[in-house]
Amino acid sequence: MKNINRSRRQFLKTGGALALGSTLPISLVELAFAEPSQNFSFAYISDAHIQHIKGARFVRNWDMGLKRAVAEANLLTPKPDFVMFGGDLAQLGSKEELDHGAEIMSALSHKLRYVMGEHDYYLDLGAYWEKLFGPQYYSFDHKGVHFIVLNSIRTYDDWTYKRWPTAEQRMLEMAGLDNPNGSPFMVGDEQSKWLKQDLDKVAKTVPIVVFSHSPLQKIYKGWNFWTEDAEQIQALLKPYKKVSVIYGHVHQIQYNQIGNISFNSVMATAWPWPYPSTYAQAEQYLPKLTVPMNRADPFFERDATGWQFINVANGNVDLNFTLYNNTDRVVRFDNLKKQPQDRDYQAENARINPQRHY
Amino acid sequence: MRPLLLITLSAAVLSCSQAVYSQQSSAAVATPATNAGDSNPLLGLPPVPVPANNPQTPAKIALGDKLFHDKRFSIDGTISCSSCHDGDKGFTDNLPVSIGHHGLRGTRNAPTVINAAFYKSQFWDGREPDLEGQSKGPFVNPVEAGLANHEPILQIVRSDPEYQAAFKQVFNAGGEQLSMDHVSKAIASFERSIVAGNSAFDRFYFKGDKSALTEQQHRGFQVFLAQGRCVSCHSIEQDHALFSDSRFHNIGVGINAIQGDVPRLAPAFLEAKAKGGDVDKMVLTDKKSSELGRFAVTDGFNDLGAFKTPTLRNIALTAPYMHDGSLKTLKEVVIHYNNGGVTPANAQVNAFLSGGIRPLNLSDAQIDDLVAFMDALTSEQFAKPRPVAATQGDHHEKH
């Protein structure tokens, strides 16, 4: 396991040809263009699920996961330009949880930006979250890259506004997996309109990075590894030369290529989900490109929570994953195949064996 | 009488003989196992891993034994390996951190040599892959034997007639050909002979003798396996038990001393290392560097404050505990784990705590049972009451 400082320096020197990951449950994203001076990086933390018990008590395990990510992000040198948080800071969207999560995040010595997750949203539809962190969807430019942040976890107005007697129940229904009372995530018309207007201002050659919480592709509906209007959003992004979507929510490594769009998930700091293919109760479309992580060690609360050291070289993203107590993974954009690929484990016989030490 | 030690003549063949560790002569005398009614003295252990390029032979072990006890290999002629790894003290020194030449203190607690042969790496931070590599370090560490380099050792073994004969016999080496590799191979072979199984636990677990453990120890074993979660790192396999996974974990000991300082300390350490700093010296002479743990070896932030899981065999003999010797009793150790690795005195969060460490909610009775269970891990030859060590001769360090 190489040290991140060194690999980042190496990357900044070499344009990311061989940058290696380290061990933080955050993502560090590097962008590189023809101009080395344009290289920059940002860190990515996601899915902390801070959970309130009562009074001043919170679920220790989720706290520890986020604290570790924050402590390690502070060790990065040179400092990343900013930190993204990928959504689901809270477990049930309460003021206590968002405050507590924001407080842990406040130990970061970097500029912070947030993506909305469904666990943050469905109690008060983002009202308190907006007070803390700002708008639910927005865009910004940074050193030649156009970044777009979407709230991709909305759903039908009918479900949101008319179905549930209380806000708490609405939150609980959306927090459950395999819940027949749930409803599929979507970006929705309001944001689609905004997105189109926003993109119209961007030259087709400018690299675009989209941050969403849900995948912006359709993987498994039962757990909302899903975005109902994924095709429409993908269509809006199609005219652009280099597009990367980086999403949270799935708590596992996934990667895919659809046309010009590379998809990469980021890890959670809270817990890992199993792959839908090991469980699917209904049709699932786990990307063929994805090689699943080996099973997490249930003894180690932090195992299979991890981070990605992401290089975006010439607008393509390369992810270097580190899983606690587990084997590193690298998913690089393959310039010949024009898709992300885990070269080490793509072959069946090269996969990581299950652990045998307990 | 020193405790009986075992000499394994080969890893593949478990034909073991016992060596009487005599105070007058440190040469191991092979005698047939005579403990009437005793089961295999290596009960509960796998074959000793022996590197292909350094097979065990009685002569080599005897030579290693002699080297292990030779104080001349130190700057002031007072320190040998056995100063800190004393056969009468479970091959440790029962000190929080070891004392080197001129009373200098290091940063870490001397690990026992007993069963060190089974670890996948050596030292608390695993910075050496094997006993051969490990044995060279302390001679040239400024707070241990304190030599500037290995040359004085080679001068002694090349000129001392007894060593000359022994190295000739064992390695067919002498003069300039006699190198530190030969010295370290002999010491490592001796250390590989210090293996001990056959504890009350082994007789119960691998032989089915329920009466080997007391009722309380049986209850403690259940805590060990289940609610205490101990077995996850202090592992027990189907046909043997090393009580260590040979892996590295941050369990919340020592890290608090540097927690707030890590963002400065970690890069500074890497910088010093990149400039050719000697990890062995840095971690043993600087308390803060020591607490970086396995990170000092791998440069991986995942290893910050992580130390190797020590075996629990003969743990009752080797107080105080932890890499810094900061916990005096096994009960303190269990209480530390029961608190989820959080030191009550320190409210600061240990962000690097292993995901395996969490509060256990053990009752006071369960804590006592678990401690009682660990008493059942003492090997037969150490379990006997040991006479107070004689102090004549030059075998015993006064600490």
Side-chain angles (χ1 to χ4, degrees), chain B residues 77-140:
Chain B
T78 65
I79 304 290
S80 68
C81 304
S82 64
S83 302
C84 305
H85 303 284
D86 182 342
D88 290 334
K89 297 176 181 169
F91 282 90
T92 59
D93 52 14
N94 294 137
L95 295 166
V97 294
S98 293
I99 297 177
H101 68 95
H102 295 101
L104 291 173
R105 278 169 204 273
T107 55
R108 290 184 184 166
N109 178 265
T112 179
V113 177
I114 307 166
N115 297 329
F118 296 104
Y119 288 127
K120 293 196 179 89
S121 64
Q122 299 299 331
F123 290 124
W124 276 107
D125 52 17
R127 64 187 178 277
E128 285 293 339
D130 51 31
L131 290 166
E132 283 80 357
Q134 178 276 324
S135 64
K136 294 176 184 174
F139 294 123
V140 292

Side-chain angles (χ1 to χ4, degrees), chain B residues 127-397:
Chain B
R127 64 187 178 277
E128 285 293 339
D130 51 31
L131 290 166
E132 283 80 357
Q134 178 276 324
S135 64
K136 294 176 184 174
F139 294 123
V140 292
N141 191 287
V143 296
E144 295 181 271
L147 297 174
N149 55 49
H150 291 117
E151 207 47 45
I153 301 173
L154 294 176
Q155 281 171 9
I156 292 166
V157 295
R158 285 169 184 166
S159 58
D160 175 311
E162 278 185 39
Y163 278 129
Q164 277 179 332
F167 277 97
K168 186 86 189 133
Q169 182 201 348
V170 173
F171 295 107
N172 194 22
E176 288 301 308
Q177 289 158 341
L178 204 176
S179 72
M180 202 56 207
D181 283 343
H182 296 119
V183 173
S184 67
K185 277 183 172 178
I187 294 172
S189 290
F190 169 67
E191 290 177 321
R192 285 192 185 98
S193 75
I194 305 171
V195 289
N198 195 26
S199 63
F201 165 81
D202 296 304
R203 291 191 292 279
F204 153 64
Y205 195 74
F206 297 110
K207 285 279 187 200
D209 177 5
K210 283 205 172 73
S211 68
L213 301 189
T214 65
E215 278 307 307
Q216 188 183 25
Q217 287 171 334
H218 278 291
R219 290 197 304 271
F221 184 42
Q222 288 314 305
V223 176
F224 186 88
L225 293 176
Q227 200 176 327
R229 295 160 54 89
C230 318
V231 74
S232 294
C233 301
H234 297 285
S235 43
I236 298 172
E237 309 292 334
Q238 228 169 352
D239 55 353
H240 65 263
L242 293 176
F243 289 95
S244 167
D245 58 1
S246 264
R247 295 160 90 210
F248 303 85
H249 310 282
N250 177 324
I251 57 163
V253 170
I255 187 81
N256 284 325
I258 60 165
Q259 190 76 242
D261 208 14
V262 166
R264 182 194 64 80
L265 203 60
F269 186 89
L270 294 177
E271 207 66 46
K273 203 170 142 181
K275 286 180 181 149
D278 180 339
V279 172
D280 194 73
K281 288 189 177 72
M282 290 194 282
V283 299
L284 287 186
T285 56
D286 176 41
K287 169 83 175 146
K288 285 193 165 184
S289 297
S290 171
E291 297 305 351
L292 293 170
R294 177 73 173 160
F295 171 82
V297 181
T298 63
D299 304 354
F301 290 144
N302 210 10
D303 291 318
L304 275 165
F307 292 88
K308 191 173 69 184
T309 309
T311 179
L312 295 182
R313 288 187 173 277
N314 301 298
I315 196 75
L317 310 176
T318 60
Y321 301 106
M322 304 303 184
H323 67 269
D324 56 358
S326 60
L327 299 179
K328 290 184 192 64
T329 64
L330 287 173
K331 185 158 182 169
E332 279 184 36
V333 172
V334 174
I335 288 168
H336 174 81
Y337 284 118
N338 197 39
N339 292 339
V342 178
T343 312
N346 196 315
Q348 197 170 34
V349 171
N350 169 14
F352 308 106
L353 187 70
S354 160
I357 304 296
R358 65 186 195 208
L360 302 172
N361 302 316
L362 301 176
S363 67
D364 289 351
Q366 284 176 306
I367 290 172
D368 291 337
D369 292 351
L370 188 50
V371 171
F373 169 71
M374 285 189 270
D375 279 333
L377 301 178
T378 306
S379 297
E380 183 71 13
Q381 66 264 47
F382 297 107
K384 295 163 186 160
R386 295 189 308 286
V388 177
T391 51
Q392 84 259 22
D394 59 355
H395 260 301
H396 294 280
E397 248 344 83

Side-chain angles (χ1 to χ4, degrees), chain A residues 3 23 60 68 299 301 324, chain B residues 229 232 299 302 355 357-358:
Chain A
N3 175 265
T23 58
R60 171 192 161 282
R68 181 165 187 158
F299 176 80
E301 293 172 344
Y324 291 129
Chain B
R229 295 160 54 89
S232 294
D299 304 354
N302 210 10
I357 304 296
R358 65 186 195 208

Side-chain angles (χ1 to χ4, degrees), chain A residues 100-297:
Chain A
H100 189 60
E103 187 188 6
I104 295 173
M105 291 290 285
S106 72
L108 279 164
S109 45
H110 311 86
K111 163 121 185 92
L112 270 167
R113 288 190 172 90
Y114 288 81
V115 180
M116 176 74 80
E118 80 277 15
H119 288 261
D120 305 320
Y121 181 74
Y122 277 97
L123 184 67
D124 64 0
L125 306 181
Y128 190 64
W129 187 97
E130 279 189 330
K131 260 192 204 145
L132 290 176
F133 308 129
Q136 295 181 26
Y137 55 92
Y138 54 99
S139 66
F140 60 97
D141 294 285
H142 190 77
K143 296 185 180 172
V145 181
H146 187 65
F147 288 94
I148 296 166
V149 178
L150 295 174
N151 174 354
S152 66
I153 53 81
R154 290 182 173 179
T155 192
Y156 300 106
D157 284 354
D158 190 52
W159 192 97
T160 304
Y161 297 103
K162 296 179 185 164
R163 189 158 308 184
W164 307 108
T166 63
E168 287 76 15
Q169 190 178 343
R170 176 177 60 198
M171 177 69 249
L172 283 169
E173 296 288 0
M174 202 48 114
L177 302 185
D178 288 320
N179 182 4
N181 294 334
S183 186
F185 291 152
M186 58 192 66
V187 174
D189 293 344
E190 174 199 328
Q191 278 181 93
S192 294
K193 266 199 210 94
W194 169 84
L195 178 61
K196 184 163 182 342
Q197 287 167 358
D198 184 74
L199 285 168
D200 284 345
K201 292 176 259 176
V202 181
K204 301 288 182 284
T205 52
V206 171
I208 291 174
V209 177
V210 182
F211 296 121
S212 60
H213 186 69
S214 72
L216 300 191
Q217 52 180 329
K218 291 176 168 171
I219 298 169
Y220 183 52
K221 203 167 183 174
W223 297 346
N224 254 326
F225 290 9
W226 192 268
T227 302
E228 192 76 349
D229 47 3
E231 293 89 347
Q232 290 93 301
I233 305 301
Q234 289 169 22
L236 291 174
L237 295 165
K238 206 175 161 116
Y240 293 82
K241 198 168 166 224
K242 290 267 167 72
V243 185
S244 299
V245 172
I246 299 178
Y247 60 92
H249 184 65
V250 298
H251 297 213
Q252 61 193 218
I253 296 173
Q254 295 176 355
Y255 44 101
N256 198 15
Q257 183 76 26
I258 300 176
N260 61 322
I261 309 172
S262 301
F263 293 85
N264 280 282
S265 68
V266 293
M267 300 296 291
T269 64
W271 68 80
W273 284 128
Y275 283 79
S277 54
T278 62
Y279 173 87
Q281 305 290 298
E283 214 167 5
Q284 61 89 21
Y285 308 95
L286 192 70
K288 279 200 178 54
L289 297 179
T290 297
V291 174
M293 291 180 288
N294 60 321
R295 187 170 69 94
D297 182 340

